C-alpha cells in the first residue's frame, strides 16, 4: 500500500508540555483522514510540523515514499502540501482572484496579468466545483465563501494534500454540508485531505479514516464506516460518555432579565449590537445562536458591564442595571461564565483558593480586620473543589496548572455558588473534551431546574438545540427570530444564522 504521507515517531515538546509523543500517521491517496481529539491533544501541532511551521524534535516524514525535511511552508507547498488555517489568511480589500494568486502572480512583463489570474481562478473553481466570483472583494463575501477561496489558494499552488484545521468552526449548518460535498469532489480528483476536528458528527459524515489523538499520543486509527459516535467519544476522552442531554419540562417564573432596544459599539467604534430586545424568565435557558462575529460577544459584554450600551436599557429583577459597573451587576444577581476563561475568568498566576473568591473578595465573610481571612478562603475553595469535582492535588495549586476542563469547573463552581438569579454562560464548553462538556451541561440544567434564568451564548448549534428552551438567533447585530427549541431544526436555524427570514414566535 503506497501512502502519500507517512509520519513516523514524531515527537515535539514545548516548555512543560509534550505536545506530540512518538506519533505515527499514514495518509493514503484519495482519502479524507480525520485527526480527532480534544483541544490541546496535539492535532494542530502535528499538522503544523507537516506544513513546516514547526520542526519536530524527533521522527521522520515521508512524502510519496521519499524522506523529506520540511523546514518551512514554502518547502511544504513545493511538496504539494497546502494548509487552510482555522483563522483565514486573506486580504479583505483585495478581490477573490487577487487573493488566490497572491505571492504566485501570473506576470505580463513586470506587471500582474490580471486577465490570466481571473481566467485561471475561473478554470480552477469550475474544475473543483468551488463556485466563487473572482471579482468579489473578500470583505463582501460570506465566511463559507472565504473558506472556498482559501482552498482554491492551496489548489492554485499545486496542492495534492490539503490540511484543514477545524474547518467547520465558523460555518452555518448549510455551509458545513456544502463543505462536505466540496471535499468529496476534491478526493474524486485524486487529492488527499486531512481534517483536524473535535466534532464527532462531522467525523462520521465527512471522513473515510479517523485517527484519535489523546494527550499527544495516537490512541487508535479506525475506518469511519466501522465505528460510531459513542466509540469515538470514549476513545477521545478515555471513558464512556453520555452524549444525550436529558432535561425536564421548563417551569417558567418571573422575568429575571429584560433587554430593551440595546445598542452597543465594537472596539473599532462600529455599531455591533443594533437594537436588541428579549427577556429571560426564571427556570428557562434562552440560547443565543449565530455564526461568530454577529454581535454576540458585544451583547454579553454589555449585559455584564464590560461594555457600555449607547442606547436601550437592561433590567435585572426589575432593577435598571444599564451601564453599571461589573461589581454592581454581580451584586444585582448576575453570574458570568466568560468564553475566554484565561483573560476574563481566572488569574492564572493565582492559586485556586484566590480564584475561587474573585469578584467576591470584598465580601466580609472573607475578611478579617485589615486583610483577607485565608483560612476561611481555603475552606471555602476546598468545598467548591469537592462539590464540583475539580481535579487538583490541592487548593494551593496555581490556576494555570489545571486542564481547560478543570479551569472551567472552578469558574462554574464560583459563579453558581453565589446563587445568582441570572447566569450568563458564554461558550461554556469551548475547547473542552466531551466528558467535561457532559458535566457542564448537567450543571447548567440543574441551575435551570432550581429556578435560575440562564442566557446561553454558543457557536455550537448542537449545544444550543439540546440545552435551550427558547432559541434567539443573532445575525449582523440583530435578533432575527426567537423560536421554541422543541420545534426548531438545524436547517431552519441555519437559514436564520445566514440572515434568512423567520417569523418570530415567543
Amino acid at each position: 500500500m503506497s501512502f502519500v504521507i507517512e509520519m513516523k515517531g514524531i515527537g515535539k515538546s514545548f516548555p512543560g508540555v509534550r505536545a506530540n509523543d512518538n506519533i505515527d500517521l499514514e495518509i493514503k491517496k484519495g482519502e479524507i483522514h480525520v485527526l480527532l481529539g480534544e483541544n490541546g491533544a496535539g492535532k494542530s501541532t502535528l499538522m503544523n510540523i507537516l506544513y513546516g511551521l514547526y520542526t519536530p524534535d524527533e521522527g521522520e516524514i515521508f512524502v510519496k515514499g521519499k524522506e523529506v525535511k520540511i523546514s518551512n511552508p514554502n518547502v511544504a507547498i513545493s511538496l504539494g502540501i497546502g494548509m487552510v488555517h482555522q483563522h483565514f489568511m486573506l486580504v479583505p480589500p483585495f478581490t477573490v482572484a487577487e487573493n488566490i494568486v497572491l505571492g504566485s502572480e501570473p506576470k505580463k512583463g513586470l506587471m500582474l496579468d490580471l486577465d490570466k489570474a481571473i481566467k485561471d481562478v475561473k478554470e480552477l473553481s469550475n474544475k473543483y466545483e468551488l463556485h466563487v466570483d473572482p471579482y468579489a472583494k473578500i470583505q463582501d463575501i460570506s465566511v463559507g465563501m472565504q473558506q472556498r477561496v482559501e482552498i482554491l489558494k492551496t489548489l492554485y499552488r499545486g496542492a495534492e494534500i490539503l490540511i484543514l484545521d477545524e474547518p467547520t468552526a465558523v460555518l452555518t449548518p448549510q455551509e458545513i454540508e456544502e463543505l462536505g460535498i466540496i471535499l468529496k469532489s476534491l478526493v474524486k480528483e485524486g487529492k488527499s485531505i486531512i481534517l483536524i476536528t473535535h466534532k464527532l458528527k462531522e467525523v462520521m459524515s465527512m471522513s473515510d479514516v479517523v485517527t484519535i489523538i489523546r494527550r499527544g499520543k495516537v490512541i487508535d486509527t479506525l475506518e469511519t464506516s466501522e465505528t460510531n459516535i459513542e466509540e469515538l467519544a470514549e476513545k477521545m476522552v478515555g471513558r464512556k460518555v453520555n452524549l444525550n442531554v436529558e432535561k425536564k419540562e421548563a417551569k417558567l417564573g418571573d422575568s429575571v432579565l429584560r433587554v430593551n432596544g440595546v445598542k452597543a459599539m465594537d472596539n473599532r467604534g462600529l455599531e455591533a449590537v443594533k437594537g436588541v430586545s428579549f427577556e429571560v424568565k426564571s427556570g428557562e435557558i434562552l440560547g443565543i445562536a449565530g455564526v461568530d462575529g454577529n454581535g454576540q460577544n458585544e451583547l454579553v459584554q454589555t449585559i455584564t458591564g464590560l461594555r457600555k450600551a449607547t442606547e436601550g436599557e437592561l433590567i435585572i429583577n426589575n432593577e435598571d442595571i444599564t451601564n453599571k459597573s461589573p461589581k454592581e451587576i454581580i451584586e444585582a444577581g448576575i453570574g458570568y461564565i466568560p468564553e475566554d476563561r484565561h483573560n476574563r475568568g481566572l488569574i492564572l498566576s493565582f492559586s485556586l483558593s484566590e480564584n475561587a473568591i474573585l469578584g467576591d473578595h470584598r465580601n466580609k465573610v472573607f475578611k478579617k480586620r485589615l486583610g483577607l481571612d485565608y483560612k476561611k478562603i481555603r475552606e471555602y475553595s476546598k468545598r467548591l473543589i469537592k462539590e464540583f469535582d475539580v481535579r487538583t492535588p490541592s487548593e494551593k495549586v496555581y490556576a494555570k496548572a489545571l486542564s481547560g476542563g478543570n479551569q472551567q469547573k472552578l469558574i462554574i463552581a464560583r459563579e453558581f455558588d453565589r446563587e445568582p438569579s441570572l447566569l450568563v454562560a458564554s461558550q461554556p464548553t469551548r475547547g473542552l473534551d466531551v466528558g467535561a462538556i457532559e458535566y457542564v451541561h448537567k450543571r447548567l440544567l440543574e441551575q435551570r431546574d432550581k429556578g435560575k434564568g440562564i442566557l446561553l451564548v454558543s457557536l455550537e448549534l448542537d449545544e444550543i438545540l439540546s440545552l435551550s428552551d427558547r432559541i434567539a438567533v443573532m445575525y449582523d447585530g440583530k435578533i432575527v427570530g426567537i423560536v421554541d427549541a422543541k420545534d426548531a431544526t438545524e436547517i431552519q436555524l441555519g437559514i436564520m444564522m445566514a440572515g434568512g427570514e423567520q417569523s418570530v414566535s415567543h
Side-chain angles (χ1 to χ4, degrees), residues 327-377:
K327 176 176 178 276
E328 292 169 302
I329 287 172
I330 289 171
E331 284 163 2
I334 285 192
Y336 178 35
I337 301 168
E339 70 172 83
D340 185 344
R341 50 183 167 265
H342 292 166
N343 288 333
R344 296 223 189 270
L346 298 166
I347 298 176
L348 296 179
S349 55
F350 277 21
S351 70
L352 300 190
S353 54
E354 288 165 322
N355 273 291
I357 62 157
L358 272 190
D360 216 9
H361 47 280
R362 297 182 188 84
N363 190 328
K364 50 183 183 294
V365 177
F366 302 126
K367 288 264 171 65
K368 78 169 174 202
R369 288 199 291 285
L370 297 170
L372 291 167
D373 185 340
Y374 275 96
K375 185 166 175 275
K376 278 222 174 98
I377 292 168

Side-chain angles (χ1 to χ4, degrees), residues 474-487:
M474 259 187 109
Y475 173 74
D476 191 26
K478 299 187 191 76
I479 286 192
V480 290
I482 299 181
V483 295
D484 250 334
K486 290 197 290 285
D487 314 325

Side-chain angles (χ1 to χ4, degrees), residues 134-151:
Y135 302 99
K137 288 197 165 141
I138 294 294
Q139 62 204 26
D140 301 331
I141 61 176
S142 72
V143 178
M145 275 297 163
Q146 290 179 29
Q147 190 174 57
R148 290 179 183 201
V149 175
E150 281 281 20
I151 292 171

Side-chain angles (χ1 to χ4, degrees), residues 434-486:
V434 279
I437 290 172
E438 171 195 40
Y439 178 88
V440 171
H441 286 176
K442 205 171 88 198
R443 287 293 189 159
L444 284 170
L445 286 168
E446 273 170 18
Q447 291 296 308
R448 158 200 184 255
D449 295 342
K450 278 184 183 169
K452 312 283 188 219
I454 296 176
L455 181 65
L456 169 70
V457 181
S458 176
L459 301 175
E460 302 287 352
L461 205 44
D462 287 351
E463 179 162 76
I464 290 278
L465 278 162
S466 55
L467 291 179
S468 309
D469 299 299
R470 290 184 305 136
I471 299 169
V473 179
M474 259 187 109
Y475 173 74
D476 191 26
K478 299 187 191 76
I479 286 192
V480 290
I482 299 181
V483 295
D484 250 334
K486 290 197 290 285

Side-chain angles (χ1 to χ4, degrees), residues 230-302:
E230 285 69 27
E231 182 185 16
L232 291 175
E234 191 174 331
K235 286 183 184 288
M236 191 164 134
V237 188
R239 65 174 179 81
K240 272 214 174 341
V241 180
N242 179 12
L243 295 163
N244 299 322
V245 174
E246 286 145 24
K247 64 178 189 206
K248 303 176 193 142
E249 195 65 35
K251 293 192 179 69
L252 299 184
D254 298 336
S255 167
V256 285
L257 171 71
R258 283 204 305 281
V259 176
N260 298 329
V262 165
K263 294 185 176 179
M265 302 289 191
D266 65 14
N267 295 342
R268 297 167 303 172
L270 303 173
E271 196 166 69
V273 182
K274 304 175 180 177
V276 164
S277 301
F278 61 86
E279 76 167 338
V280 182
K281 291 193 156 85
S282 71
E284 82 161 335
I285 296 179
L286 175 70
I288 292 194
V291 175
D292 201 9
N294 278 284
Q296 305 96 311
N297 288 356
E298 289 82 0
L299 175 65
V300 165
Q301 289 168 2
T302 309

